[in-house]
Amino acid sequence: MDSGNSCDYSWVDLVFTVLGVCTFLFDLGADLWVAAEFYLYGDYFWFGIVLSFVFVSSALLQMFSWFWYKYDTKLENFNPQTTTETLLLANNDNGGRCDRLKLVHVFQLGFLLRYVTAIEQGFHVWWKKRNEPGHAIYLTHDLSMLRLFEAFSESTPQLTLMLYIIIHNNKAETFQCVSIAACFISIAWMVLEYHRSLRAFLPEKNKLGYSSSVVYFLWNLLLIAPRVGAVALFTSIFPPYIGLHFLLLWAALLLWAWAQHTDFMESGPGEWLYRTMVALIWYFSWFNVAEGGTMGRSLIYHTFMAADSGILLGTWYWYRDPLVTDHYVLPLLLALLASYLLGLLLKVTYYKLFHPKIWQPVFRAGEDVPDNLVYRSLSPTDALPSVINKRMGALANSFYFSSSMPAGGKTNGNERNATL
């Protein structure tokens, strides 16, 4: 699964990029199909809810993409390297670049633009050997982050909605099952692609084995599923109150993100946009945003969310309709509990046995420390050493390194760095 050196770009990376856009389009197509089915059935409320998920998520992605393009086009060595980029970005006047980019994002095409340029650039690097791999790697890092945002701002809420409707109606339509499958595929691909992207930032990268990828994917999915199930079950008996629950919890999580002094974006408004997204992700899953030992923060989060999910499930159990739910209530609750406990067990197992380990060398006083010691693949090419993807590099630094560990020795692969 790995291409070896983090600065290499292989056919595997190109395939992952192509499959990434395919899963995105499949997910989008499934959403539009679900919306159309609701419209044809006369369920205009659900029709509007599904479309609102799609449009709100798309708007958020375009805003992030726009912020990043504005920053990237100001870099000294930023130069369009593909036909698509040349048409849209090549201009002696930086204002002209921004005007074109703004128009693309207003029409909700900025995310697809990134995929098109990443595939085109990747093809030139791998097949034609015409370009350096750095720009393609840079683009795939940003795409993995945007897919993470898309999964939790659209796929996960959509999955919760479909489960709620099935529970509420006590039956499942074909299009609802397709939507659930599409959401699971989207979330699964996001987890794997994001993990691969972070792995590219290891200074001395071990091979990303299939076993570690499977375990990483499973513990994330097993921890997300009970949370989604708890929210869907609570919504089935108190639909008006789930919005209030979300807003109150989201506001508290937003304050927690602010308290951790995140520094992901290049501007104040952009940073607050990022914190709002972090709070949304936290509503469903843990996501590390700060450097240093994260065991304490992770423990606080999991304890709080387990208590919250328990309250949601307890409320549903107390107010449910016994005639409708008695035949599946016990197996369902046991399945959710087993999924959560197994997810925690696999998470501990991953950080004990599968989390990649590196050796960070000790440098004597007065020695020059290589700039790419931590962010090896942040320097895309030898020709463009200043074009570095600091966004994903900062997250990788939080994921793989602990500030409490002394220089020299294995600095990752321990429970103190448990992040997602």
Side-chain angles (χ1 to χ4, degrees):
M1 289 182 62
D2 207 321
S3 58
N5 189 296
S6 60
C7 292
D8 291 340
Y9 188 93
S10 71
W11 66 270
V12 177
D13 300 290
L14 181 60
V15 168
F16 263 75
T17 304
V18 173
L19 289 179
V21 72
C22 289
T23 58
F24 169 73
L25 294 176
F26 173 67
D27 188 28
L28 178 61
D31 293 338
L32 296 178
W33 180 32
V34 168
E37 289 292 333
F38 279 133
Y39 183 83
L40 294 176
Y41 274 96
D43 294 327
Y44 301 120
F45 178 76
W46 298 128
F47 167 75
I49 292 295
V50 171
L51 287 186
S52 68
F53 283 157
V54 174
F55 287 132
V56 169
S57 175
S58 178
L60 288 172
L61 294 185
Q62 305 307 318
M63 292 173 69
F64 277 107
S65 180
W66 164 246
F67 272 116
W68 295 349
Y69 264 130
K70 277 190 67 177
Y71 167 74
D72 292 344
T73 53
K74 294 178 181 178
L75 294 176
E76 180 180 354
N77 289 323
F78 179 87
N79 291 305
Q81 298 188 36
T82 66
T83 303
T84 304
E85 285 182 314
T86 301
L87 290 174
L88 289 172
L89 307 179
N91 196 304
N92 293 329
D93 177 18
N94 191 62
R97 287 180 177 179
C98 291
D99 289 340
R100 291 187 185 128
L101 285 172
K102 185 181 295 184
L103 188 62
V104 168
H105 288 80
V106 166
F107 285 100
Q108 305 298 295
L109 297 175
F111 188 39
L112 285 178
L113 168 64
R114 287 181 175 274
Y115 261 120
V116 171
T117 54
I119 292 173
E120 188 177 2
Q121 176 69 11
F123 179 77
H124 286 312
V125 170
W126 171 66
W127 181 258
K128 296 186 177 182
K129 309 295 183 183
R130 284 168 47 184
N131 296 341
E132 293 291 339
H135 192 52
I137 295 172
Y138 191 102
L139 291 171
T140 57
H141 288 325
D142 278 345
L143 281 172
S144 70
M145 195 65 188
L146 289 173
R147 284 308 306 272
L148 178 78
F149 293 159
E150 187 268 340
F152 283 100
S153 63
E154 192 275 324
S155 297
T156 310
Q158 186 90 320
L159 174 61
T160 307
L161 176 65
M162 290 300 105
L163 290 174
Y164 156 71
I165 294 175
I166 291 174
I167 295 169
H168 180 74
N169 296 335
N170 204 28
K171 65 176 182 179
E173 303 289 347
T174 301
F175 70 90
Q176 294 169 341
C177 296
V178 172
S179 177
I180 290 174
C183 290
F184 268 119
I185 292 173
S186 179
I187 295 170
W189 194 261
M190 170 278 298
V191 171
L192 182 58
E193 183 61 18
Y194 178 71
H195 184 41
R196 290 186 77 255
S197 185
L198 287 185
R199 282 285 286 105
F201 288 84
L202 286 178
E204 296 298 335
K205 188 172 65 172
N206 297 327
K207 286 287 185 179
L208 178 61
Y210 290 99
S211 57
S212 61
S213 298
V214 170
V215 173
Y216 181 86
F217 158 71
L218 284 177
W219 71 254
N220 276 279
L221 203 60
L222 288 171
L223 290 181
I224 292 173
R227 178 61 180 175
V228 172
V231 173
L233 288 170
F234 176 83
T235 308
S236 67
I237 56 172
F238 290 121
Y241 294 105
I242 192 62
L244 179 62
H245 175 270
F246 170 77
L247 288 176
L248 291 176
L249 193 56
W250 174 82
L253 294 172
L254 177 62
L255 290 176
W256 196 32
W258 168 74
Q260 295 190 42
H261 306 291
T262 61
D263 187 22
F264 181 73
M265 304 290 282
E266 290 79 22
S267 66
E271 193 61 37
W272 276 106
L273 177 65
Y274 170 66
R275 290 167 183 166
T276 62
M277 180 60 70
V278 169
L280 174 59
I281 295 174
W282 277 344
Y283 186 77
F284 294 102
S285 180
W286 172 239
F287 176 65
N288 189 48
V289 296
E291 294 184 13
T294 61
M295 186 175 182
R297 293 194 298 267
S298 180
L299 182 61
I300 293 173
Y301 172 84
H302 284 297
T303 302
F304 178 80
M305 297 306 290
D308 181 74
S309 296
I311 292 173
L312 294 179
L313 288 174
T315 304
W316 169 78
Y317 182 84
W318 185 261
Y319 289 98
R320 67 189 171 87
D321 185 351
L323 294 177
V324 178
T325 61
D326 269 351
H327 66 285
Y328 68 76
V329 60
L330 185 58
L332 177 61
L333 292 178
L334 289 176
L336 293 177
L337 179 61
S339 177
Y340 185 76
L341 294 178
L342 182 58
L344 289 178
L345 178 62
L346 287 178
K347 181 175 182 177
V348 173
T349 302
Y350 174 83
Y351 283 100
K352 283 285 188 179
L353 303 177
F354 295 101
H355 197 51
K357 297 175 176 61
I358 61 169
W359 182 268
Q360 184 177 4
V362 178
F363 291 91
R364 299 183 181 88
E367 285 187 343
D368 291 330
V369 180
D371 293 335
N372 62 352
L373 172 65
V374 175
Y375 305 126
R376 178 171 179 171
S377 70
L378 288 179
S379 180
T381 66
D382 293 334
L384 302 175
S386 64
V387 183
I388 59 176
N389 196 328
K390 296 187 293 184
R391 296 180 288 270
M392 287 297 291
L395 288 177
N397 196 38
S398 299
F399 185 90
Y400 287 112
F401 293 86
S402 171
S403 60
S404 63
M405 295 290 291
K410 293 179 179 179
T411 58
N412 64 331
N414 57 73
E415 297 90 310
R416 292 184 58 81
N417 282 325
T419 54
L420 284 180

